[in-house]
């Protein structure tokens, strides 16, 4: 199995910062992509940022210049640094890991349980 655990959510005022962390553990042979998604009430889940094992990043237009995704391969952890937060960034944030399992040699996509980020005006 592969386990993914997020941490770091909470409440912050507009203009503030938060850092989310997401650690993966278990039967992991290799990681292809790590991504952060978010889902606001009544909205579809959307990609916020993603990073490949080679360090190539991709961001939603709405967060470019404000959010930074990074990863620590040795710790199997991915981070999302969120600066200049806006009220519209309020959502449940999920991380997703994609890679190859070491026990079954099959591809996996594993989601975390989600962490709430609330930005107040």
């Amino acid at each position: 199995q592969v386990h993914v655990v997020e941490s770091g959510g909470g409440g912050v005022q507009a203009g503030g910062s938060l850092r989310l962390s997401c650690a993966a553990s278990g039967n992991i042979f290799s990681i292809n992509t790590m991504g952060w998604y978010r889902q606001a009430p009544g909205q579809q889940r959307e990609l916020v940022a993603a990073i490949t094992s080679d360090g190539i990043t991709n961001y939603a237009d709405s967060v470019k210049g404000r959010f930074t995704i990074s990863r620590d391969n040795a710790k199997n952890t991915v981070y999302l640094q969120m600066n200049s937060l806006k009220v519209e960034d309020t959502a449940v944030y999920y991380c997703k890991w994609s890679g190859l399992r070491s026990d079954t040699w099959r591809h996996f996509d594993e989601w975390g349980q989600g962490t709430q980020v609330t930005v107040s005006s």
Side-chain angles (χ1 to χ4, degrees):
Q1 286 188 336
V2 175
H3 303 279
V4 174
V5 179
E6 299 138 346
S7 60
V12 66
Q13 286 195 323
S17 298
L18 282 174
R19 189 173 89 148
L20 306 182
S21 300
C22 179
S25 62
N27 302 111
I28 299 171
F29 177 76
S30 63
I31 299 295
N32 295 332
T33 306
M34 297 149 274
W36 285 98
Y37 295 73
R38 67 186 180 188
Q39 188 167 20
Q43 304 287 328
Q44 288 190 334
R45 191 172 298 188
E46 63 174 357
L47 176 67
V48 176
I51 185 168
T52 69
S53 57
D54 295 331
I56 298 171
T57 58
N58 181 40
Y59 294 93
D61 288 341
S62 59
V63 306
K64 281 181 181 177
R66 300 188 298 121
F67 291 11
T68 302
I69 188 170
S70 61
R71 87 265 187 251
D72 185 331
N73 288 338
K75 295 181 179 180
N76 271 356
T77 301
V78 62
Y79 306 96
L80 185 67
Q81 178 66 43
M82 304 184 293
N83 298 328
S84 302
L85 281 160
K86 304 177 181 180
V87 172
E88 50 264 41
D89 293 319
T90 295
V92 178
Y93 284 71
Y94 300 87
C95 68
K96 176 186 171 185
W97 289 70
S98 299
L100 189 66
R101 287 177 58 160
S102 60
D103 53 349
T104 63
W105 302 107
R106 290 186 172 217
H107 175 84
F108 72 87
D109 290 311
E110 198 68 33
W111 291 87
Q113 80 283 2
T115 185
Q116 177 70 46
V117 171
T118 302
V119 184
S120 58
S121 58

